[in-house]
Amino acid sequence: MRARAWRADEVVEDLRDRIWTYLSPASEPQRMLEAAALLQMDTADVARLARLHFLLSDEAGAFLAAVPDLLRRLPTTSQLEEERSVERVRGVVQWPRTFQQRAASGLTTLIVSRPSERAYDTPETELLVFLLAEIARLGEETGWLTSAAKGSGALLRSRVTEATRLARSRMLAGVVARPPTARSIARIRGGRHRRRFQPVLDAWTTHQRLVAHMDRDALRTVIEREGLVTRTDSVLFELLCLFTLIDALQQADWEVTPLGLIDGGVQFAAARGGEHLGIWYQRSPSDLLSGSVHRRVLDAHHVGRSTLRPDLVLRHRPGADDEDRWLVVEVKMGHAAAPDDYARRSLFDLLAYRAAFAPVLDGQPSPYGLGVAWGADLEPALNEVMLTTPDHLSTAVELFVMAGRGDAARESVG
């Protein structure tokens, strides 16, 4: 086994398009959830990424840059207020109200008037105040404001700080930060201030796509750009192994179904002649968990269950009347040790799975486990557990399938 350089940017570029190729041709929202599950992201993770994408977007940056100039020339409206006084008259005298109040109070010199006051609570200003409040709120929810992260974290903190400072402007003090209505947005777009407030409208449109409605096209961009880039190297390697496995099955004339989302995990199947394969990614099928020693011991001691989930699980059925065979796959990689060490770590976990899934795996012909470590030139040998690198993954799967047919008396295949 030899070491192999890990280039995350090349892996991300390779996975960026492939991640959509294998998904089921269902509705777009379902495809988004399947893609997120492949990246080991739940719906909350996708929502968090969408919010981060808005906060770090060019539209949010352009909006904050335009606010100082907009504050110097905010649109105003006239607001009439009723004033009662015996000393001065401001605005138009309201004689009916004046006579009514004189009769009620007994003050014969009382004057009721309606002076006109300048106000800033116009649709344009209300939208501006709402977006400033949203940037501050969403930034707080990310948890990045107190972290020492640089790059995107520093940019986010600077934008939240700037939004909070601008929101304290004296001219905005009396404007309520409430979500605009469709009618108020239409008034802004058709009003005489629409050109000056275009950065505000652009930021609002991006906010609606990513935060309010989680538009499918916007989510796809988030998953491709942030979802892949922000995943750890180990998750990217697991995805790489999954797609390498699918490619190997197709090259061996297996007919592979599109990936589908089942209970938060990804599942698919393959068929070749009378043989069938079921494949689970980041999910343990219930048939394998039945009678699990791991679960039984925890339940007996009233200890909460923990997740027992190999990276990949394969179930092979050689024929309609044959018994199922299982292959548990554990994928390991890292940069802190030699490649051989990660192969040994995968073996350690697979031996633990052997004990945990003993009720199902007992009596099954070898192999039951496959460890995949990042590197090259590690060929699998037929045994209870096989170890390999991604370049020989197809050989390992074929050995497992041949062992199920009872005709694998050799240690490798061509």
Side-chain angles (χ1 to χ4, degrees), residues 262-396:
I262 306 292
D263 295 335
V266 176
Q267 178 183 353
F268 63 103
R272 184 176 65 181
E275 294 180 277
H276 292 273
L277 272 176
I279 301 101
W280 290 262
Y281 172 72
Q282 294 298 329
R283 178 174 177 264
S284 297
S286 57
D287 290 347
L288 184 63
L289 289 173
S290 60
S292 164
V293 177
H294 177 268
R295 177 178 293 183
R296 190 167 65 245
V297 171
L298 292 178
D299 289 347
H301 293 82
H302 306 290
V303 176
R305 292 179 180 176
S306 60
T307 302
L308 190 64
R309 185 178 62 193
D311 296 316
L312 279 163
V313 175
L314 278 68
R315 181 180 63 191
H316 178 224
R317 184 172 297 167
D321 299 327
D322 295 320
E323 293 185 358
D324 293 339
R325 297 176 57 254
W326 297 89
L327 184 69
V328 179
V329 183
E330 190 67 19
V331 176
K332 296 292 184 183
M333 77 153 298
H335 309 291
D340 289 0
D341 190 56
Y342 294 101
R344 285 189 288 268
R345 293 183 191 183
S346 66
L347 173 61
F348 182 84
D349 287 351
L350 288 167
L351 293 175
Y353 286 135
R354 176 67 179 82
F357 299 138
V360 175
L361 298 179
D362 279 349
Q364 172 181 299
S366 296
Y368 78 85
L370 173 62
V372 185
W374 175 250
D377 299 337
L378 179 59
E379 297 187 27
L382 191 60
N383 208 317
E384 274 193 284
V385 174
M386 298 183 293
L387 301 176
T388 189
T389 45
D391 52 330
H392 291 286
L393 184 57
S394 59
T395 301

Side-chain angles (χ1 to χ4, degrees), residues 86-100:
V86 295
E87 299 177 350
R88 65 178 182 178
V89 176
R90 294 174 61 242
V92 180
V93 176
Q94 304 296 301
W95 288 112
R97 289 285 294 159
T98 296
F99 294 143
Q100 182 183 15

